[in-house]
Amino acid sequence: MADRYLNFTATAPGRFLTRRLGLPQPVKLRRWSPEHPRLEGDLLLLTTGGSRHTDDLVELLTGLGHPPATTSAHPAAVVLDATAVACVPDLTEVHTALHPVVRSIADNGRVVVLGTPPDPDDHHQAAAQQALEGFVRSLAKELGRGRTASLVRIPGPAATAASTLRFLLSPKSAYVTGQVIETGPDAAVRDPADWNRPLAGRTALVTGAARGIGEAVADVLVRDGAHVVLLDVPAAQHDLTRVADRLGGTALPLDITADDAVDRIVAALPTGGLDILVHNAGITRDRRLANMPRDRWNAVLDVNLAAVLTTTDTLLRTGVLRPGGRIVATSSIAGIAGNAGQTNYAASKAGIAGLTRSLAPRALAEHGVTMNAVAPGFIETKMTAAVPLLIREAGRRMNSLAQAGLPVDVAEATSWLATGGVNAQLIRICGQSLLGA
Ligand code: NAD
């Protein structure tokens, strides 16, 4: 559905009027396209002194096509290596490094601060590193003009941050801001032979793929080299077949809650094995709890959570999900913030976060499979087009980028997580929504 306000603010009278009235001034986000695959402009690498990662970072960023500069009048991205920050006085260097450059960062630019996980055995280091989180989340709210800021914690070697930095320092992460992401461990990292087709040779199953976010995920996984098996309810078969034919994939009309769902999935896999499992299918059955019959409660818990657990458990246990495999589940900011009328939906989506955090370390240790989750905010789909106008308008504006996300924003994050580099992370694709922030 067209965002008329965003289109209006892109015009000169729109800019004038919204500035005069103090209204939100979203800028059109510059997303990935074959013509614009990279951020355009300098990447500035700054350091808060004494980092052990500097040489590796220079090599890594050069490999991304952004050989770092030490000065730039108008940088497209600023990476601040704050991994050496170990006590509160060190934080002065964060101010010293970023204060002079923050104003000059280009529209749609990026700030990525690199830190290390807070150390439970060193409360001075923990205070200083945790301070970076509050700093980055606040900066993300200040930047405006489509510019984003995130914190990447690197517990091990800088090389574990390759896929994460590739994502954050590209137009693919346009709607991701104010996030804290931990890279590694080493076992979660798989650097593909060709970063232009990082999923080449991999088979992916996407549930709920007939439309919306699932269709966009299928598009991006295929762009990135995967073969896709696309699942959706039999009632959506027409749309599902259209998507599968367009992408050279396999259509699997199937209700994910069916008793024989896993058998049917395995039978549909071209080689019997699976590398990427995207749990995207989801439903809402909104009512306040006082008015909610048990069938509406159960339907949402069954599709959004129970079926995710059942299929994940079986595909892992049987080894169908091969070593090196990746699971990406779909949570929601409603599961983080809560939402009136969505006790069932929010419960199911919070359950996804719990499942991901608990299973991910064991899935990696026992099966060599990572598990992460995306938590979309307000994304323009049929689901959100059904939201009443005023609430829809509020949903679009109440985030640091003052606009809704697009299905492709969730899809880009999913493809990054399907490539590897992180485990047990819950990544919000929400423009730093005020809900649950
Ligand atoms: P959508 O309704 O457009 O698409 C969901 C798809 O899942 C549909 O094609 C539907 O047929 C399929 N599906 C539903 N039940 C199924 C079942 N039992 N078996 C197989 N397929 C089934 O929704 P969307 O907006 O694209 O959302 C995709 C996912 O993202 C959902 O999990 C949703 O909860 C989540 N999400 C969406 C938003 C948003 O703003 N759109 C925000 C947060 C989270």
Side-chain angles (χ1 to χ4, degrees):
M1 178 171 286
D3 182 344
R4 293 209 179 90
Y5 183 82
L6 177 60
N7 294 338
F8 177 59
T9 56
T11 65
R15 263 194 305 276
F16 173 76
L17 210 62
T18 48
R19 210 175 9 244
R20 288 297 291 266
L21 295 174
L23 293 171
Q25 295 184 296
V27 307
K28 201 168 168 36
L29 298 183
R30 211 170 297 141
R31 295 181 165 87
W32 183 93
S33 71
E35 297 75 36
H36 299 285
R38 273 195 253 278
L39 299 178
E40 279 152 26
D42 295 333
L43 180 147
L44 201 54
L45 176 61
L46 306 172
T47 309
T48 60
S51 169
R52 66 190 165 98
H53 292 308
T54 307
D55 291 346
D56 290 344
L57 279 173
V58 169
E59 191 183 323
L60 203 156
L61 296 169
T62 304
L64 302 189
H66 287 296
T70 44
T71 57
S72 170
H74 205 43
V78 178
V79 175
L80 174 66
D81 178 359
T83 51
V85 164
C87 59
V88 172
D90 290 350
L91 292 169
T92 304
E93 294 182 45
V94 174
H95 178 271
T96 307
L98 287 178
H99 170 72
V101 299
V102 70
R103 225 189 281 274
S104 65
I105 299 168
D107 286 10
N108 277 283
R110 303 280 186 272
V111 176
V112 175
V113 176
L114 306 177
T116 54
D119 184 346
D121 299 320
D122 179 350
H123 55 286
H124 287 261
Q125 188 271 6
Q129 283 294 331
Q130 191 69 40
L132 294 177
E133 181 170 335
F135 166 73
V136 166
R137 289 194 199 277
S138 300
L139 182 62
K141 293 187 177 189
E142 290 180 5
L143 282 171
R145 304 206 319 259
R147 301 178 297 179
T148 68
S150 287
L151 172 64
V152 177
R153 290 185 174 139
I154 311 176
T160 61
S163 81
T164 305
L165 291 181
R166 227 167 237 283
F167 173 68
L168 290 177
L169 294 169
S170 82
K172 296 176 178 176
S173 62
Y175 201 58
V176 176
T177 188
Q179 296 304 290
V180 179
I181 301 162
E182 182 166 321
T183 67
D186 284 355
V189 177
R190 169 190 163 271
D191 284 345
D194 177 2
W195 280 106
N196 291 319
R197 285 175 65 79
L199 306 179
R202 322 268 287 167
T203 300
L205 173 74
V206 184
T207 69
R211 66 180 203 190
I213 294 172
E215 180 177 2
V217 168
D219 270 327
V220 171
L221 295 184
V222 169
R223 178 201 69 190
D224 289 348
H227 174 79
V228 288
V229 177
L230 305 178
L231 181 155
D232 211 301
V233 288
Q237 183 162 3
H238 179 75
D239 286 343
L240 186 67
T241 308
R242 180 185 48 82
V243 178
D245 288 352
R246 183 168 61 77
L247 297 175
T250 310
L252 177 58
L254 171 68
D255 186 327
I256 193 68
T257 63
D259 289 340
D260 62 348
V262 177
D263 293 341
R264 301 262 314 273
I265 289 170
V266 174
L269 298 174
T271 59
L274 189 63
D275 305 295
I276 297 161
L277 171 58
V278 181
H279 293 293
N280 163 78
I283 58 170
T284 52
R285 295 286 182 272
D286 297 355
R287 286 272 171 87
R288 284 176 181 263
L289 182 63
N291 303 324
M292 188 181 300
R294 194 161 57 179
D295 61 328
R296 289 175 88 92
W297 174 273
N298 283 345
V300 169
L301 269 296
D302 283 351
V303 175
N304 296 4
L305 186 56
V308 174
L309 280 155
T310 309
T311 46
T312 301
D313 283 352
T314 314
L315 292 171
L316 272 179
R317 193 182 59 243
T318 54
V320 171
L321 199 50
R322 296 186 270 236
R326 308 282 179 238
I327 306 169
V328 184
T330 307
S331 181
S332 164
I333 54 166
I336 299 169
N339 209 8
Q342 291 200 313
T343 51
N344 51 356
Y345 182 76
S348 72
K349 295 301 185 180
I352 291 292
L355 153 65
T356 302
R357 291 193 182 112
S358 169
L359 179 60
R362 274 178 291 122
L364 189 59
E366 293 167 21
H367 304 279
V369 171
T370 64
M371 179 163 192
N372 296 283
V374 289
F378 192 95
I379 308 292
E380 302 277 5
T381 64
K382 281 197 174 149
M383 202 184 244
T384 47
V387 171
L389 178 70
L390 279 179
I391 301 177
R392 188 165 68 232
E393 209 30 45
R396 280 173 171 156
R397 299 308 148 222
M398 281 169 54
N399 60 73
S400 300
L401 299 168
Q403 59 196 286
L406 299 181
V408 70
D409 297 323
V410 184
E412 295 285 12
T414 301
S415 185
W416 153 52
L417 296 171
T419 302
V422 300
N423 196 31
Q425 303 297 297
L426 178 73
I427 310 293
R428 293 172 53 147
I429 321 295
C430 66
Q432 199 181 28
S433 169
L434 293 179
L435 293 180

